[in-house]
Amino acid sequence: MAYRQSNAALAYDVQPFSAAPAQPYVDPRERAATRPNLEVVAGEGRKADQAVSPAFVHVLKVFCVLIALFVTVGVARVAILTATASTLNANAELSESLDEGRDESANLEVMRSVFSSPTRIRDIASSSFGMVDSERDVTIDLSDASPADTADATAADAQ
């Protein structure tokens, strides 16, 4: 059996004889009589291949609707994310502006307290302008005066 281990093609005439029983001889006329009759069914021919199944059309429509829904949801997500990002950016800018305003307010309060200090004003008035404190204080009491007297007094002051 070295013949089967080689690269040579298998020769069927060299095969060992099989012990299978031989089939009995059947006359070709008898074989034709036992064969079923061939029936021809009229059809649409090439047009039958061109028609599309309604189930396939339905599946295709459902697929298109799902794709459109997927795209719509994606666009909605992008729009929501864009709006969220712009809102967060606006909030961050506003927060930064508020912090700058608070810092400026604190600086202005410090400057106001420095510049409105009575001792500083007295020092500037005396050193720069040569002003001095008066020794005489003037007090005006308007509690006893009537409104007509105050109007006459202001008219007399104006002349």
Side-chain angles (χ1 to χ4, degrees):
M1 290 281 132
Y3 180 75
R4 289 186 182 217
Q5 294 177 354
S6 70
N7 288 336
L10 187 62
Y12 288 106
D13 57 342
V14 180
Q15 294 297 321
F17 178 74
S18 69
Q23 294 181 352
Y25 176 76
V26 179
D27 187 24
R29 287 173 274 166
E30 291 177 7
R31 189 178 303 152
T34 60
R35 192 166 43 172
N37 293 334
L38 180 66
E39 294 182 21
V40 177
V41 178
E44 296 182 14
R46 286 190 220 171
K47 292 181 183 177
D49 293 337
Q50 293 177 356
V52 180
S53 168
F56 176 75
V57 171
H58 180 71
V59 168
L60 188 63
K61 286 180 182 179
V62 168
F63 179 74
C64 290
V65 167
L66 289 177
I67 291 295
L69 183 66
F70 181 74
V71 168
T72 304
V73 168
V75 167
R77 285 185 63 201
V78 168
I80 289 171
L81 289 175
T82 303
T84 303
S86 66
T87 303
L88 289 175
N89 286 340
N91 287 344
E93 290 175 5
L94 183 61
S95 176
E96 185 175 322
S97 174
L98 285 173
D99 290 341
E100 290 174 0
R102 287 185 187 123
D103 292 341
E104 185 69 23
S105 174
N107 289 339
L108 289 174
E109 284 180 18
V110 169
M111 292 177 71
R112 179 177 172 254
S113 67
V114 167
F115 289 142
S116 66
S117 169
T119 55
R120 181 178 181 276
I121 292 172
R122 198 173 302 125
D123 289 342
I124 291 173
S126 63
S127 66
S128 298
F129 301 115
M131 300 174 112
V132 291
D133 288 337
S134 69
E135 279 103 29
R136 193 178 81 161
D137 291 337
V138 177
T139 306
I140 300 174
D141 186 16
L142 297 177
S143 61
D144 295 336
S146 65
D149 293 338
T150 56
D152 294 336
T154 54
D157 288 338
Q159 291 175 353

